[in-house]
């Protein structure tokens, strides 16, 4: 009888011990389930924030490497190119159009603000580095004028009343020079002052008001103001 009672006590004690462990394990299981749900929620939030961060920093896999800042810049840059092309087409006899370089074929390369030139004669884009000196000057002039237009249209109250061009005309042939001057003359009709710094003799004949500057031993002086 004593042995039987001892066995019953042992069984009861084991039951209590196992029940206690089971209760503790069930509480732990509920705690783990709660933490698992919280972890899944945090992982989803992290994945969303991580994608936004990678998108803003140009690190999203399978997409062009362009930061948010560059995206905004490229948006305004397209507007500048549109305005620039209005002048470049006139100066190039409808041959050249400036376009943003397309780098979609290389997703490992950081996308920037590179420019290609589309040649309407060949029907193909090519790098702006392939332009001749005179053609490059006309493209640069068109970009400067396009930038001026966009600044005035997007910044209320800002009016660019004057622009100065330092050299660059020496590489133009007679036809290109005539085209560039025609574009600049059209700007002066809108009450804008265009100042040209140049040593090109043919250009001096086309400018109404001139200031001649002569070098001296110590500095420079104005010798004629017409």
């Amino acid at each position: 009888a004593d042995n039987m009672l001892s066995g019953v006590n042992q069984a009861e004690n084991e039951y209590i011990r196992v029940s206690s462990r089971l209760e503790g394990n069930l509480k732990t299981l509920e705690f783990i389930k709660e933490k698992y749900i919280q972890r899944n929620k945090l992982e989803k939030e992290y994945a969303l924030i991580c994608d936004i961060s990678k998108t803003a920093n140009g690190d999203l896999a399978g997409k062009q490497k362009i930061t948010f800042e560059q995206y905004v810049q490229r948006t305004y840059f397209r507007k500048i190119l549109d305005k620039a092309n209005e002048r470049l087409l006139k100066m190039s006899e409808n041959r050249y159009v400036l376009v943003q370089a397309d780098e979609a074929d290389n997703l490992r390369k950081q996308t920037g603000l590179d420019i290609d030139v589309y040649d309407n004669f060949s029907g193909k884009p090519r790098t702006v580095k392939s332009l001749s000196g005179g053609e490059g000057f006309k493209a640069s002039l068109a970009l400067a004028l396009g930038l001026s237009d966009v600044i005035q249209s997007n910044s209320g109250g800002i009016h660019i009343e004057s622009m100065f061009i330092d050299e660059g005309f020496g590489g133009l042939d007679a036809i290109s020079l005539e085209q560039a001057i025609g574009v600049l003359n059209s700007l002066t009709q809108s009450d804008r002052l265009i100042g040209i710094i140049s040593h090109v003799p043919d250009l001096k004949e086309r400018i109404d008001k001139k200031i001649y500057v002569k070098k001296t031993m110590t500095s420079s002086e104005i010798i004629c103001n017409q």
Side-chain angles (χ1 to χ4, degrees), residues 32-182:
I32 292 174
K33 286 181 178 179
E34 181 181 347
K35 293 301 180 182
Y36 180 76
I37 294 174
Q38 292 177 0
R39 176 184 173 179
N40 285 342
K41 181 180 178 181
L42 290 174
E43 284 181 343
K44 290 179 180 179
E45 292 177 354
Y46 170 78
L48 177 61
I49 294 173
C50 185
D51 284 346
I52 293 174
S53 175
K54 289 181 178 180
T55 300
N57 290 285
D59 295 326
L60 194 62
K63 301 295 183 180
Q64 281 188 308
K65 304 301 181 182
I66 177 171
T67 66
F68 178 74
E69 179 183 1
Q70 289 172 327
Y71 175 81
V72 175
Q73 290 174 340
R74 283 168 65 88
T75 299
Y76 279 95
F77 196 43
R78 277 192 290 269
K79 297 180 180 180
I80 294 173
L81 291 182
D82 288 342
K83 289 295 184 179
N85 286 326
E86 293 178 7
R87 272 89 179 215
L88 184 57
L89 282 169
K90 294 179 181 179
M91 289 189 286
S92 65
E93 296 181 325
N94 295 320
R95 178 173 182 177
Y96 295 126
V97 176
L98 297 174
V99 295
Q100 287 183 325
D102 184 9
E103 297 174 343
D105 57 335
N106 185 358
L107 298 180
R108 293 175 298 178
K109 184 178 180 181
Q110 192 76 20
T111 302
L113 300 175
D114 296 327
I115 305 174
D116 283 338
V117 57
Y118 185 85
D119 191 337
N120 286 319
F121 284 12
S122 66
K124 298 179 181 178
R126 53 189 173 93
T127 175
V128 290
K129 296 179 181 179
S130 64
L131 293 174
S132 66
E135 292 169 340
F137 171 74
K138 288 188 285 187
S140 298
L141 176 59
L143 276 173
L145 298 176
L147 177 61
S148 171
D149 291 339
V150 172
I151 289 175
Q152 291 184 109
S153 62
N154 287 277
S155 302
I158 293 181
H159 179 63
I160 300 178
E161 299 177 344
S162 58
M163 177 180 295
F164 291 87
I165 303 171
D166 189 2
E167 296 295 348
F169 292 91
L172 301 181
D173 55 33
I175 296 178
S176 297
L177 181 61
E178 188 70 26
Q179 293 168 340
I181 292 175

